Amino acid sequence: SCCGTQYGVAKNVTIHPIRVLDCHGSGWGSDVIAAMEWAMNHDNGGRPKVVSMSLGGEFSQLDNDVVRSLHEAGVTVVVAAGNDYDDACKYSPASASKVISVGASNTKDRLPGFTNYGACVDILAPGTHINS
């Protein structure tokens, strides 16, 4: 977790949760794009914006273009590298050039058997046994 009163590093932030997937993790790409566009256009009173997305799908140039638009509007975009134990460059938005793509590490500081990897992964972060 990035934010919260008990866990996370940011204690004094405003969070705008935007649900784009159903309870089974399924959804429409158009809903993801609409959520990114809302985040880009939402008036945040001049404060910095960060979009965090723990989702992904097959490579989509359209998704990656919308992420680039977010970046160009001054929004920091952080995404999960993916959970397919595959090259993150095959998936969006992890393959977008203007994101911070985060892969998982385990308690032994190694890649767990689910995280995506490769040149499109910018950083690893703890991804197993996390209290949030």
Side-chain angles (χ1 to χ4, degrees), residues 100-118:
I100 300 169
S101 180
V102 183
S105 64
N106 63 23
T107 56
K108 297 187 186 302
D109 212 18
R110 294 194 169 102
L111 294 180
F114 62 84
T115 192
N116 286 358
Y117 51 82

Side-chain angles (χ1 to χ4, degrees), residues 4-89:
T5 57
Q6 186 171 4
Y7 299 105
V9 296
K11 304 288 191 247
N12 189 22
V13 298
T14 301
I15 300 171
H16 297 284
I18 305 170
R19 186 176 186 145
V20 297
L21 303 178
D22 65 22
C23 293
H24 304 288
S26 297
W28 297 97
S30 58
D31 291 336
V32 175
I33 289 170
M36 288 191 283
E37 289 175 340
W38 183 90
M40 181 171 49
N41 296 318
H42 178 72
D43 180 9
N44 204 34
R47 294 179 308 209
K49 293 182 188 180
V50 176
V51 168
S52 175
M53 294 185 281
S54 185
L55 53 78
E58 63 186 35
F59 179 87
S60 164
Q61 189 61 55
L62 178 59
D63 288 351
N64 289 359
D65 288 346
V66 175
V67 168
R68 186 182 66 249
S69 295
L70 277 169
H71 174 79
E72 290 170 354
V75 180
T76 300
V77 182
V78 182
V79 302
N83 295 328
D84 300 289
Y85 200 62
D86 197 4
D87 183 351
C89 293

